[in-house]
Amino acid sequence: MRETQVPAPPPALVRVMWYEDSALQQGLEPSEARAPILKLQKVEILDWKTKQQLCFLDKVEPHATISDIRLMFHKSYPQWYPARQSIRLDPKGKSLRDEEILQHLPVGTTATLYFKDLGPQIGWTMVFLTEYAGPLFIYFLFYFRMPFVYGLDDKLTSSPHPVVNLACICHSFHYIKRLIETIFVHRFSHGTMPLRSIIKNCFYYWGFAAWLAYYINHPLYTPPSYGQKQINFAVIMFLWCKALPNNRWKSWLMELCESHHILAIRSRSRYGPAYQYLWSCTNMPWEF
């Protein structure tokens, strides 16, 4: 009786069968044995100024992002949280974006990156809340005439002129409105800013509020020279500036932005740059 010879399986199939048998012996699923093996990369992080090695990551996946590398670096140096890190390819180059992928960067199997400490950071939302809350507090110090402002003789006294009270209402409404905008309307493209810069940012708002409040609430203050007509005109301008970016105007402006595809452009306002422009144009003249 003649024996039938079974053709031998191809070498590739033999390798797969061997991997599956090995996987079963190790308690793994056969699909895990067939999974492609990624070639891991090495990442060396140096100090941007001294070129001293700070960290060496020897098992980094090629599709890891700069954000992932920041987190890995943060595990080695907890004091440098991700928002405080500037990771770059060149010591004097620009910081790499969080979404950039390691394997797409012009580096070899061992990537050399440079780290720069940006210093303590503060979120943009907190920056604007600090800028706008300061003038509210400062203005009331002058409005209620604290003893250290105008002296003991005029402490906690009130002005006999109604326009002084009207100015306090308008000033408070303006900055309360801006605080609400910061929380519910505006979006910020950058997550943080250096903490040391907040003094410079607050100087305008806090200093201008103090200068304004000092003269308006001064015991020797006198009403406008043109009387009630000048006051009425100022109130109308204030209400116009506050009403423009709201309600029907806002709906019309959003439709205009959508028709011109402006909303797709990132800006500090979620409604697009045109909305942000008109919003600023109505806020800034009042502050002036």
Side-chain angles (χ1 to χ4, degrees), residues 168-203:
C168 181
I169 293 173
C170 292
H171 184 274
S172 301
F173 176 80
H174 170 73
Y175 282 103
I176 291 174
K177 176 175 175 287
R178 301 213 69 172
L179 289 171
I180 295 174
E181 293 170 7
T182 301
I183 298 173
F184 299 105
V185 177
H186 293 301
R187 289 178 179 173
F188 307 101
S189 57
H190 298 287
T192 61
M193 67 167 286
L195 182 62
R196 60 181 178 273
S197 300
I198 195 172
I199 299 176
K200 178 180 63 177
N201 285 35
C202 292
F203 179 78

Side-chain angles (χ1 to χ4, degrees), residues 32-279:
E32 296 180 12
R34 299 182 194 178
I37 300 176
L38 293 176
K39 188 176 181 181
L40 300 179
Q41 292 187 258
K42 300 177 182 179
V43 177
E44 180 187 30
I45 301 180
L46 309 179
D47 184 87
W48 75 285
K49 184 177 293 185
T50 63
K51 310 300 186 297
Q52 180 183 358
Q53 186 183 89
L54 300 176
C55 183
F56 186 81
L57 309 172
D58 58 346
K59 294 181 180 180
V60 182
E61 296 182 356
H63 57 267
T65 62
I66 296 299
S67 179
D68 297 331
I69 296 176
R70 290 175 191 262
L71 293 175
M72 298 177 191
F73 184 74
H74 176 53
K75 292 180 180 179
S76 301
Y77 296 91
Q79 70 273 22
W80 291 326
Y81 44 89
R84 187 169 175 166
Q85 303 172 21
S86 173
I87 303 297
R88 52 189 70 179
L89 290 172
D90 185 81
K92 297 183 180 180
K94 295 183 179 179
S95 298
L96 296 172
R97 300 188 304 272
D98 286 346
E99 61 272 13
E100 294 193 64
I101 301 175
L102 181 61
Q103 64 181 357
H104 296 163
L105 298 177
V107 295
T109 55
T110 301
T112 300
L113 302 177
Y114 296 90
F115 160 79
K116 180 180 180 181
D117 181 18
L118 299 177
Q121 300 290 300
I122 184 173
W124 277 107
T125 300
M126 184 58 63
V127 170
F128 283 91
L129 291 177
T130 305
E131 289 178 354
Y132 301 148
L136 274 176
F137 176 75
I138 292 174
Y139 195 95
F140 285 131
L141 294 179
F142 292 89
Y143 178 75
F144 292 109
R145 296 179 178 175
M146 294 291 103
F148 55 85
V149 177
Y150 299 112
L152 297 177
D153 294 338
D154 297 296
K155 68 176 182 178
L156 303 178
T157 58
S158 58
S159 174
H161 306 294
V163 67
V164 174
N165 300 326
L166 181 61
C168 181
I169 293 173
C170 292
H171 184 274
S172 301
F173 176 80
H174 170 73
Y175 282 103
I176 291 174
K177 176 175 175 287
R178 301 213 69 172
L179 289 171
I180 295 174
E181 293 170 7
T182 301
I183 298 173
F184 299 105
V185 177
H186 293 301
R187 289 178 179 173
F188 307 101
S189 57
H190 298 287
T192 61
M193 67 167 286
L195 182 62
R196 60 181 178 273
S197 300
I198 195 172
I199 299 176
K200 178 180 63 177
N201 285 35
C202 292
F203 179 78
Y204 161 73
Y205 291 97
W206 293 25
F208 191 79
W211 176 76
L212 191 71
Y214 176 82
Y215 289 102
I216 293 178
N217 299 283
H218 199 281
L220 300 179
Y221 171 81
T222 56
S225 55
Y226 290 96
Q228 193 62 36
K229 291 183 178 179
Q230 184 175 351
I231 297 174
N232 294 339
F233 175 77
V235 172
I236 292 173
M237 292 299 298
F238 170 77
L239 295 176
W240 178 82
C241 289
K242 294 300 156 189
L244 177 60
N246 294 318
N247 303 329
R248 295 182 180 179
W249 283 99
K250 183 172 69 176
S251 301
W252 170 81
L253 183 56
M254 290 182 66
E255 293 177 0
L256 179 65
C257 291
E258 290 175 351
S259 62
H260 290 81
H261 306 285
I262 299 177
L263 289 178
I265 304 175
R266 290 182 59 86
S267 71
R268 291 198 308 174
S269 172
R270 68 182 64 177
Y271 300 125
Y275 181 76
Q276 175 67 20
Y277 174 75
L278 284 182
W279 197 286

